[in-house]
Each structure stands twice: as structure tokens, then as C-alpha cells.
Amino acid sequence: MTFLFSSALLLVNAQSLQKMKTHQEDSLAITQVLENDYFKGIYEGNISLLGKVLHPGTLLFGDVKGQPYAKTLEQYLDGVAHRQSPKDSGQPFKGTIISVDVINSIAVARVQVKMYEFNYDEFLSFHKIDNRWMIVNKMITDISE
């Protein structure tokens, strides 16, 4: 009886360790997407990088300087393509990951993006599609005031 209980306990612990390992791997993968593609894409104005991590159906909502903000992915990428990038302007830029929460195939990252006179707090919803973490929703607010 003790052997069966000990074996069951070891199995439960092994499953918990595997879930923790998977969670850590997913959090790391999302962190890499944010740092290597999302922040870099915004900084450089690189819509190819952004298009790689933003799902085609991504919607963007929030407020900027107190005004409602709602865009489709196409509208957002068009705006990025037609503005001077922070890199080209020589203006400071900083992307910071505040948190990443993962549950199975979904996740939410809270990030801050400082560029030009804006200081954005963002919530980015992720979904793991074809073994890749993609942003499927972006909510922003400008907290510069």
C-alpha cells in the first residue's frame, strides 16, 4: 500500500514539474516574441516583424490622450508604415514587459511602451496557434498625463 501511494505521489509530482516546465517555456517564448519582434517592430517601424506576431484578425482598442482608440490590424499596420519610426527619429524608445500569464494555449502580457511623448500601458492577448504564440488582441491606454 505504501508503495502504491509513493508511486502515485511521484507521478503527481512529475506531472506538476512537467506543467511548470511547459509554463516556463511558454513564458520564455512569449518574452522572445515581445522583445525580438513586437518591440523591435514598433521601434523600427517594421511592419513585417509586426505582421509576423500579430494574427490577421487582431483588433486594437483603448484610449490615447483621453480619446477612444479602435483599429483593425490593417489600419494599425498602415499607420506604422506611414509614420516616422522612433529609430529614424532618434527619439527614445523603451519596451518593458511587466508580466506574462499563461494558461494552456492562451496568455496575457502586460507591457509598457514609451515612445515620443507617449507612455502606453498595454494588455496583449496571445493564443498559441500552430505551435507559435500570436497576439490576437491589443488593448492600450496612454498614461502620459
Side-chain angles (χ1 to χ4, degrees):
M1 187 65 125
T2 303
F3 174 75
L4 288 176
F5 179 73
S6 296
S7 296
L9 190 58
L10 287 173
L11 181 61
V12 168
N13 284 339
Q15 289 173 340
S16 293
L17 287 174
Q18 181 59 35
K19 282 183 182 179
M20 280 180 25
K21 181 180 175 191
T22 301
H23 182 270
Q24 289 172 340
E25 290 169 355
D26 287 332
S27 292
L28 179 60
I30 290 168
T31 297
Q32 289 174 340
V33 165
L34 289 168
E35 291 175 348
N36 299 336
D37 300 314
Y38 183 70
F39 292 146
K40 186 176 180 184
I42 292 171
Y43 174 65
E44 295 177 353
N46 186 330
I47 61 170
S48 294
L49 276 179
L50 292 171
K52 195 170 104 174
V53 298
L54 294 162
H55 186 272
T58 299
L59 296 174
L60 300 88
F61 293 99
D63 58 81
V64 177
K65 297 207 177 282
Q67 297 301 308
Y69 179 95
K71 293 188 177 191
T72 63
L73 178 60
E74 184 178 299
Q75 292 168 324
Y76 172 71
L77 291 177
D78 185 62
V80 170
H82 290 96
R83 67 159 163 79
Q84 186 177 34
S85 71
K87 179 182 179 182
D88 291 341
S89 73
Q91 294 290 316
F93 174 89
K94 183 169 183 173
T96 305
I97 300 169
I98 305 301
S99 64
V100 176
D101 293 319
V102 179
I103 302 173
N104 297 324
S105 67
I106 63 170
V108 174
R110 181 175 176 201
V111 303
Q112 289 182 335
V113 175
K114 294 180 182 184
M115 58 186 252
Y116 301 114
E117 72 277 8
F118 299 102
N119 185 14
Y120 295 114
D121 257 13
E122 302 181 2
F123 291 99
L124 304 170
S125 300
F126 283 82
H127 187 221
K128 195 170 192 179
I129 302 169
D130 296 329
N131 213 32
R132 286 182 46 227
W133 285 102
M134 304 277 302
I135 297 170
V136 295
N137 188 46
K138 175 177 174 172
M139 295 184 61
I140 69 169
T141 189
D142 175 25
I143 58 169
S144 295
E145 300 171 7

